[in-house]
């Protein structure tokens, strides 16, 4: 079951990547005024955005738990920290150049790095993880649990921008990562990734599996490629 399970996870993550590319393609169409959509207020796009984010973060929890449930692989952890750390730093540096007054200091990659470390610390405590997950979701739904005060407190000492292009909230999204760990702890992943839809013999699933295996790279380069393609088109081909 192990091979099929991991294939299913890669396919699931690849599907999230595909949805993300389509979402950002629509965003670029809107940015270049090819279409006119209020993506921040349209219920359809809000649901799509939250679905994509949830798929990614659940897969983070699942993959971490599968890889380290029995024994922490420290070599793997060091590699992950290095990759996510460099990717996060690249996002911060790039946005500080492009958006000098609204650069990103805690986007989704920064969040995934932080959430991964918290998740690893809780791998041996599934009941604690379950309790924390419930508290996070209840606190977020009631508006009692948030990080606004901490962000405001750190702005002046760290010279952080008052407004940023992307500030990824810890809550409720840390709870979504925890859901991924709980799926493995309670062996639900075997049923989920054993479904026929995740069969690796399907041609589309082979493609999605490759995308899932290279999700970080695709995440980093897909939007610059899309955005650059639109820029080139309007500069040299559009009349």
């Amino acid at each position: 079951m192990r091979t099929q399970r991991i294939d299913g996870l890669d396919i699931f993550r690849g599907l999230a990547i595909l949805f993300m590319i389509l979402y950002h393609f629509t965003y670029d169409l809107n940015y270049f005024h090819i279409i006119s959509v209020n993506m921040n207020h349209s219920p359809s796009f809000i649901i799509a955005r939250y679905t994509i984010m949830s798929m990614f973060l659940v897969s983070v929890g699942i993959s971490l738990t599968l890889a380290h449930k029995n024994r922490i692989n420290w070599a793997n952890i060091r590699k992950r920290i290095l990759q996510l750390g460099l990717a996060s730093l690249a996002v911060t540096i790039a946005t500080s150049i492009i958006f000098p007054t609204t650069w990103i200091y805690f986007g989704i990659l920064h969040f995934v790095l932080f959430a991964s470390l918290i998740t690893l610390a809780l791998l041996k405590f599934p009941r604690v993880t379950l309790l924390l997950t419930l508290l996070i979701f209840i606190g977020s739904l009631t508006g009692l649990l948030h990080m606004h005060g901490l962000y405001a407190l750190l702005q002046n000492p760290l010279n952080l921008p008052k407004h940023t292009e992307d500030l990824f909230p810890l809550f409720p999204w840390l709870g979504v990562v925890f859901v991924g760990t709980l799926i493995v702890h309670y062996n639900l992943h075997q049923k989920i990734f054993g479904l026929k839809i995740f069969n690796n013999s399907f041609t589309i699933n082979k493609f999605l599996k490759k995308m899932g295996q290279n999700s970080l790279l695709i995440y980093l380069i897909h939007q610059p490629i899309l955005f650059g393609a639109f820029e080139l088109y309007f500069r040299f081909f559009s009349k």
Side-chain angles (χ1 to χ4, degrees), residues 1-2 12 32 43 111 136 142 150 160 169 189 204 223 236:
M1 183 68 192
R2 180 172 177 79
F12 180 76
F32 286 99
F111 168 83
I136 287 171
T142 57
L150 179 60
L160 302 175
H189 58 292
I204 182 64
Q223 182 63 327
F236 297 107

Side-chain angles (χ1 to χ4, degrees), residues 31-90:
Y31 180 87
F32 286 99
H33 306 293
I34 299 173
I35 62 173
S36 179
V37 180
N38 191 336
M39 298 181 69
N40 291 325
H41 295 91
S42 168
S44 297
F45 284 103
I46 292 174
I47 292 172
R49 181 166 66 247
Y50 287 166
T51 299
I52 295 166
M53 290 161 58
S54 297
M55 291 176 70
F56 272 118
L57 297 181
V58 166
S59 70
V60 168
I62 292 174
S63 61
L64 275 173
T65 311
L66 286 175
H68 306 286
K69 184 179 180 181
N70 297 323
R71 180 178 62 86
I72 300 293
N73 184 336
W74 292 108
N76 180 283
I77 294 300
R78 287 192 292 270
K79 179 181 177 181
R80 182 180 182 84
I81 292 174
L82 180 62
Q83 288 178 333
L84 287 173
L86 290 175
S88 301
L89 182 61

Side-chain angles (χ1 to χ4, degrees), residues 9 12-13 16 49-65 80 107-113 115-116 119 168-181 183:
L9 177 58
F12 180 76
R13 190 185 292 114
R49 181 166 66 247
Y50 287 166
T51 299
I52 295 166
M53 290 161 58
S54 297
M55 291 176 70
F56 272 118
L57 297 181
V58 166
S59 70
V60 168
I62 292 174
S63 61
L64 275 173
T65 311
R80 182 180 182 84
I108 188 169
L109 291 181
H110 304 75
F111 168 83
V112 170
L113 176 57
S116 297
T119 300
F168 203 87
L170 283 179
F171 310 114
W173 298 108
L174 185 59
V176 177
V177 177
F178 289 166
V179 167
T181 72
I183 285 173

Side-chain angles (χ1 to χ4, degrees), residues 81-102:
I81 292 174
L82 180 62
Q83 288 178 333
L84 287 173
L86 290 175
S88 301
L89 182 61
V91 169
T92 296
I93 293 174
T95 55
S96 68
I97 296 172
I98 301 172
F99 309 106
T101 60
T102 58

Side-chain angles (χ1 to χ4, degrees), residues 114-130:
F114 177 82
S116 297
L117 297 176
I118 298 296
T119 300
L120 284 170
L122 293 171
L123 281 183
K124 300 298 182 181
F125 308 99
R127 292 182 180 178
V128 175
T129 302
L130 177 58

Side-chain angles (χ1 to χ4, degrees), residues 15-26:
L15 189 60
I17 283 283
L18 179 61
F19 287 159
M20 180 188 66
I21 293 173
L22 293 174
Y23 181 91
H24 284 158
F25 180 73
T26 305

